[in-house]
Amino acid sequence: MEEKLEIISGTVAHIVFSNADTGFTVLELENSGFTETVVGNLHGVKVGDEIEVTGRFTVHSTYGQQFKAESYLQTLPSGSVAILRYLSSGVIKGIGPATAKKIVREFGDETFEIMETEPARLASIKGITYERALEIAEEVAGRKSMRELCLRLSVFGISPDESVKVFKALGETAAEKIEENPYILCKTGLEFDFERVDDMAGRLELPEDYLERLCAGVLYVIRHNCYNGHTCLPKSKVIETSQKLLEVADYKIDDALEELHLRKAVEYLTIGSVEFVALTEQYTCERYIANRLTLEKSFSKRERAVSDREIERVEKELGIQFEVLQKKALKASVESGIFVLTGGPGTGKTTTVNGIIRVLENRGLKVALAAPTGRAAKRMTELCGKESKTIHRLLEVGTAADGKKHIFQRCEKNPLDVDAVILDEMSMVDCVLFDALLKALRLGTFLVLVGDSDQLPSVGAGNVLKDIIESDKFCCIKLDKVFRQALESVIVVNAHRIIKGEEMELDRKDADFFMLESKVGSKAAALVTDLCCRRLPEAYGFSPSEDIQVLCPSKKMELGTVNLNNILQQRINPPEKGVPEIEIKGTVFRQGDKVMQTKNNYDIVWNDDEGNTGVGVFNGDVGILEEIDVKNRTLTVRFIDRVAQYSDEEVQQLELAYAVTVHKSQGSEFECVILPLLDFPYPLRYRNLLYTAVTRAKKMLIIVGSRQVLRSMAAADRKTLRYTALKSMLCEE
């Protein structure tokens, strides 16, 4: 017969061990002078928390008696001293130590009961208005509901941290909603993994053809492919993949698609003779982009012609002479209204952009510069001598009136006060971000899209630059002449040879492009480490953290980012007494580490050096970890132009960045790049990825690995397959 569950409670006195990835924790729970060792999934528990734990007493062969936790609930403290300590901690907004002392002095052990049942009595305390008293009561009630929800959801294996998200999204009746339809956890904003929710649903004995299950599974398939860059999928592929996942007949998948279409979650479209399915938000973005660009193209462009005299004036101002294609670009940028400028390294894109800026400003027009990432924006500022912002900052990301949704303050109702926008690194811009930018432009605003069409497409869904170019509906000029000064760089020469499929120059000893052969993974990893930490700093004065960047095709294997980050961290920023560190999901973060943000987060608060405050840190942003508060599990990270504060939950969106993937490096340039090419998956061995990696290096590129792998990548002229609808929509329009 199974032992009956018991409940123990107390204050967390000490956390002996905690695995942030699995949630497994060993802690000491103190109550009335007695201490019990508690083990189990206690994710998020901190020293000082008062908790109630449900489980069983067991005896460990080495550690003796332990209480094995099945679930836990954070409880409100009892007794005046404990209540005072709790309220003084600032856990309830607006109550600090002084106010807490007044409240407890007045109500003593009955403080929480008064807050819950007679909140108006709080107004008798000096400094607390009647309105504030009701707000405090509401917050206390919300915390009580939150604790009860944590307990109920723990049965499904949902951690307390996850319960907070669920509570915010679904409210006080979240548990009832989940029991009725667990697949609600797969919705946007919560995005629990489908397989995990499917396992939860199994406990509720729901049938496998339950409609909500089928709808959630189909959405999971489409959304998963959206994360891989597709904005739509052939309907046949959706049905085939969903059928394998859900193990039901294909007609049931068809029924689920129809239901999702009725709910306006997906849209149908036909490209050529093939029927496609798209998430409604992606379809809407691409449709708006197509409509808006077409409208801008038809907008009157009279009296915009650029004269030769205007170009001569700009040449005098910049002290240069433009090539024929560059002059055409200067004219087209004004006369076309929407203009695309592409070209590889050394072809004069920056010079042309500077000329376009002068032409527009000489006409009295207000010009804004933007780029997708902080590094790209900073580089644009340095090269153009004019402030450039990230697209997010240009559009002024903020919080909606409901305090939940994140919006751009610059939109159709509040457009940007500019006459022209020049957008660099356009290949990185996905359809959702480009949609937002277009909505923030007034009709007739000049738009110049600058990028390298041979680079990898955006991390987010879409292939906007490629689709615009291939639609053949807009003026596009590709600069193809490599200037003599640029030809002195073997990095530039080899980048163009890669794109043309020509043999690269690998053996010049006085060049900026080197190949160091190594055919054993462990030896190659050691060579990469030695180059980064000793040889290059000693020979060239490069800083391992600031100047050198290791770029990897993959996260996996010995030469992937995960392994190299662990090795490089031990050499560049090893453990040191007095230097704080924290473990998050199996990764140790140490003060001084180089880190990267791995997803867009519109909640993270930042401050810049000029005293401005804002919110939002974005996928691919790289910074240095300046401070760690081990007790509260919070971090401070300095990025290029701002310092951001990370909460315990937000920290999980960081990863070490001594080595990053080539995909994550888009839009950035580094003084020196080390590129290991040996043991990584064959699907990643293709020309565009190699070209993108090579063009990230400004002064030096060192490839470590196999010449055979390098040459096979250069020979593999296959493009990343992306299903998108924008090109088709533009051609229709």
Side-chain angles (χ1 to χ4, degrees):
M1 185 176 175
E2 193 174 39
E3 294 179 52
K4 186 179 178 182
L5 291 174
E6 297 184 59
I7 297 175
I8 64 173
S9 61
T11 304
V12 179
H14 177 57
I15 293 180
V16 180
F17 172 80
S18 178
N19 185 315
D21 194 22
T22 65
F24 180 78
T25 303
V26 180
L27 59 80
E28 292 177 355
L29 192 67
E30 192 177 85
N31 189 356
S32 303
F34 293 96
T35 301
E36 296 286 0
T37 299
V38 181
V39 301
N41 191 335
L42 301 161
H43 188 278
V45 170
K46 302 180 183 65
V47 172
D49 284 351
E50 299 222 3
I51 60 174
E52 185 178 272
V53 189
T54 302
R56 298 179 180 86
F57 281 103
T58 61
V59 178
H60 192 279
S61 58
T62 303
Y63 302 108
Q65 180 173 287
Q66 297 178 334
F67 190 79
K68 189 174 181 180
E70 295 276 332
S71 63
Y72 83 92
L73 176 66
Q74 190 170 351
T75 61
L76 289 174
S78 59
S80 298
V81 175
I83 293 172
L84 176 60
R85 184 169 62 243
Y86 179 82
L87 293 178
S88 297
S89 69
V91 69
I92 295 179
K93 187 178 178 182
I95 298 181
T99 305
K101 192 176 292 184
K102 293 177 186 177
I103 293 172
V104 176
R105 186 186 299 136
E106 179 70 22
F107 301 116
D109 296 352
E110 298 179 345
T111 295
F112 287 122
E113 185 180 345
I114 297 297
M115 286 180 169
E116 289 180 23
T117 61
E118 301 178 82
R121 291 177 61 184
L122 289 173
S124 65
I125 305 294
K126 187 176 180 181
I128 299 180
T129 64
Y130 178 75
E131 289 76 16
R132 180 63 192 130
L134 296 182
E135 289 173 2
I136 292 171
E138 186 177 344
E139 188 168 348
V140 171
R143 288 179 176 275
K144 183 179 179 182
S145 298
M146 183 70 248
R147 291 192 301 276
E148 292 171 352
L149 180 65
C150 284
L151 184 60
R152 292 181 66 178
L153 295 187
S154 65
V155 175
F156 295 102
I158 298 175
S159 72
D161 281 354
E162 291 172 327
S163 295
V164 173
K165 283 186 179 179
V166 172
F167 182 79
K168 288 179 179 177
L170 304 179
E172 295 182 10
T173 60
E176 287 80 6
K177 290 176 181 176
I178 291 169
E179 287 168 1
E180 180 182 339
N181 172 23
Y183 297 98
I184 198 172
L185 293 170
C186 297
K187 67 180 285 188
T188 304
L190 291 172
E191 294 178 356
F192 277 57
D193 187 74
F194 175 79
E195 282 95 340
R196 181 183 174 192
V197 176
D198 212 29
D199 182 58
M200 293 180 199
R203 303 180 193 182
L204 299 172
E205 299 181 352
L206 295 170
E208 66 177 15
D209 61 353
Y210 175 51
L211 182 58
E212 296 302 333
R213 174 179 185 263
L214 302 183
C215 288
V218 171
L219 281 177
Y220 170 75
V221 167
I222 301 173
R223 194 168 284 125
H224 178 77
N225 281 279
C226 190
Y227 295 147
N228 290 334
H230 306 290
T231 61
C232 57
L233 288 172
K235 185 179 178 182
S236 59
K237 285 185 176 290
V238 173
I239 292 174
E240 180 186 349
T241 308
S242 300
Q243 194 175 4
K244 289 178 182 177
L245 174 70
L246 299 167
E247 298 180 335
V248 296
D250 56 1
Y251 75 88
K252 291 185 180 291
I253 305 297
D254 230 335
D255 290 344
L257 277 169
E258 288 301 321
E259 179 63 25
L260 289 169
H261 187 239
L262 287 172
R263 297 180 185 181
K264 301 190 183 301
V266 302
E267 294 287 342
Y268 294 130
L269 62 153
T270 301
I271 301 176
S273 59
V274 179
E275 189 172 13
F276 280 75
V277 180
L279 292 175
T280 298
E281 55 263 37
Q282 297 291 344
Y283 174 87
T284 303
C285 285
E286 289 194 303
R287 177 57 71 191
Y288 179 83
I289 292 169
N291 290 346
R292 180 62 189 269
L293 291 181
T294 302
L295 178 63
E296 287 290 352
K297 184 183 177 185
S298 64
F299 192 74
S300 175
K301 303 292 188 295
R302 294 175 184 174
E303 300 179 8
R304 287 187 175 180
V306 177
S307 66
D308 291 337
R309 183 176 298 178
E310 282 183 87
I311 294 177
E312 289 170 6
R313 176 186 172 185
V314 171
E315 287 178 326
K316 288 180 181 178
E317 290 172 349
L318 297 178
I320 59 172
Q321 189 167 1
F322 293 112
E323 293 290 327
V324 174
L325 271 182
Q326 290 178 313
K327 289 180 180 179
K328 285 186 177 180
L330 264 63
K331 292 183 177 182
S333 65
V334 177
E335 295 166 5
S336 301
I338 294 174
F339 171 63
V340 180
L341 177 68
T342 71
T347 56
K349 285 202 306 290
T350 299
T351 301
T352 307
V353 168
N354 279 327
I356 292 171
I357 293 170
R358 288 298 182 105
V359 167
L360 292 169
E361 290 187 336
N362 286 346
R363 289 183 167 218
L365 301 177
K366 189 175 180 181
V367 181
L369 309 185
T373 67
R375 281 182 176 272
K378 182 182 180 184
R379 191 178 79 247
M380 196 179 189
T381 298
E382 293 168 349
L383 294 174
C384 297
K386 179 180 174 65
E387 183 187 15
S388 174
K389 297 180 179 179
T390 64
I391 300 173
H392 287 88
R393 292 188 72 177
L394 179 70
L395 300 183
E396 299 174 17
V397 65
T399 306
D402 61 7
K404 296 179 181 179
K405 295 179 182 177
H406 300 285
I407 60 171
F408 291 117
Q409 305 294 342
R410 294 294 184 174
C411 55
E412 290 164 306
K413 294 181 180 179
N414 182 30
L416 290 164
D417 182 25
V418 297
D419 303 300
V421 171
I422 300 177
L423 181 56
D424 197 14
E425 294 290 352
M426 184 61 200
S427 63
M428 290 182 64
V429 180
D430 60 49
C431 65
V432 173
L433 191 55
F434 194 54
D435 166 83
L437 176 67
L438 290 179
K439 285 175 178 172
L441 301 183
R442 294 177 301 202
L443 188 62
T445 301
F446 294 95
L447 184 60
V448 178
L449 308 177
V450 184
D452 187 340
S453 55
D454 291 315
Q455 285 187 23
L456 292 170
S458 59
V459 175
N463 214 345
V464 180
L465 179 62
K466 180 173 178 287
D467 284 348
I468 290 174
I469 293 172
E470 291 188 353
S471 74
D472 202 25
K473 297 290 183 180
F474 305 94
C475 181
C476 173
I477 291 178
K478 183 172 184 177
L479 302 176
D480 53 12
K481 177 181 178 181
V482 183
F483 286 85
R484 183 173 54 82
Q485 185 178 358
L487 287 171
E488 296 174 6
S489 167
V490 180
I491 293 173
V492 172
V493 171
N494 279 343
H496 286 275
R497 289 186 175 185
I498 289 168
I499 288 301
K500 294 176 182 177
E502 298 174 352
E503 190 72 18
M504 285 169 280
E505 193 172 331
L506 300 175
D507 298 313
R508 272 182 55 179
K509 303 300 181 185
D510 60 340
D512 54 4
F513 188 116
F514 301 96
M515 175 81 200
L516 301 180
E517 287 198 82
S518 183
K519 297 183 179 180
V520 179
S522 58
K523 291 182 179 179
L527 178 54
V528 168
T529 305
D530 194 41
L531 283 166
C532 187
C533 303
R534 184 183 66 84
R535 289 170 60 172
L536 292 173
E538 287 180 2
Y540 300 97
F542 289 139
S543 163
S545 293
E546 296 179 11
D547 300 324
I548 301 173
Q549 183 62 60
V550 178
L551 298 183
C552 308
S554 172
K555 291 185 175 184
K556 302 175 182 178
M557 314 291 281
E558 283 187 287
L559 293 173
T561 59
V562 174
N563 185 50
L564 287 178
N565 269 319
N566 290 334
I567 297 171
L568 291 167
Q569 183 193 43
Q570 289 299 107
R571 285 286 300 273
I572 297 171
N573 190 28
E576 187 178 337
K577 188 176 181 180
V579 176
E581 58 183 48
I582 189 172
E583 184 180 334
I584 305 291
K585 287 191 172 181
T587 299
V588 173
F589 291 94
R590 193 170 294 124
Q591 190 167 297
D593 274 336
K594 185 177 183 180
V595 294
M596 173 183 280
Q597 175 74 13
T598 59
K599 63 184 294 186
N600 290 345
N601 187 318
Y602 298 95
D603 290 322
I604 296 176
V605 178
W606 53 259
N607 300 282
D608 63 21
D609 294 333
E610 297 175 0
N612 301 312
T613 299
V615 293
V617 180
F618 307 105
N619 189 3
D621 286 352
V622 175
I624 299 297
L625 209 170
E626 283 196 334
E627 294 180 22
I628 299 178
D629 184 335
V630 177
K631 181 178 179 182
N632 295 309
R633 296 176 67 80
T634 59
L635 306 181
T636 301
V637 179
R638 174 171 286 279
F639 294 99
I640 291 174
D641 53 356
R642 61 206 188 283
V643 177
Q645 310 298 324
Y646 280 74
S647 68
D648 182 20
E649 182 182 327
E650 292 162 340
V651 169
Q652 299 180 35
Q653 297 170 6
L654 290 173
E655 61 184 31
L656 294 174
Y658 299 105
V660 302
T661 62
V662 177
H663 283 84
K664 290 285 189 181
S665 73
Q666 288 176 263
S668 300
E669 277 189 344
F670 311 96
E671 297 295 296
C672 176
V673 167
I674 302 174
L675 178 62
L677 297 179
L678 188 61
D679 56 343
F680 59 95
Y682 279 92
L684 293 172
R685 300 185 182 188
Y686 59 97
R687 184 181 294 175
N688 285 66
L689 189 141
L690 175 62
Y691 175 78
T692 300
V694 168
T695 53
R696 299 309 91 204
K698 289 171 66 176
K699 294 183 178 178
M700 185 171 292
L701 174 76
I702 301 176
I703 298 176
V704 175
S706 162
R707 289 193 181 214
Q708 183 180 352
V709 172
L710 174 63
R711 286 173 176 147
S712 69
M713 287 185 75
D717 186 22
R718 62 177 186 273
K719 308 298 183 186
T720 303
L721 173 64
R722 286 202 170 183
Y723 292 112
T724 62
L726 180 59
K727 176 184 173 182
S728 173
M729 290 175 175
L730 286 169
C731 291
E732 286 173 11
E733 295 293 337

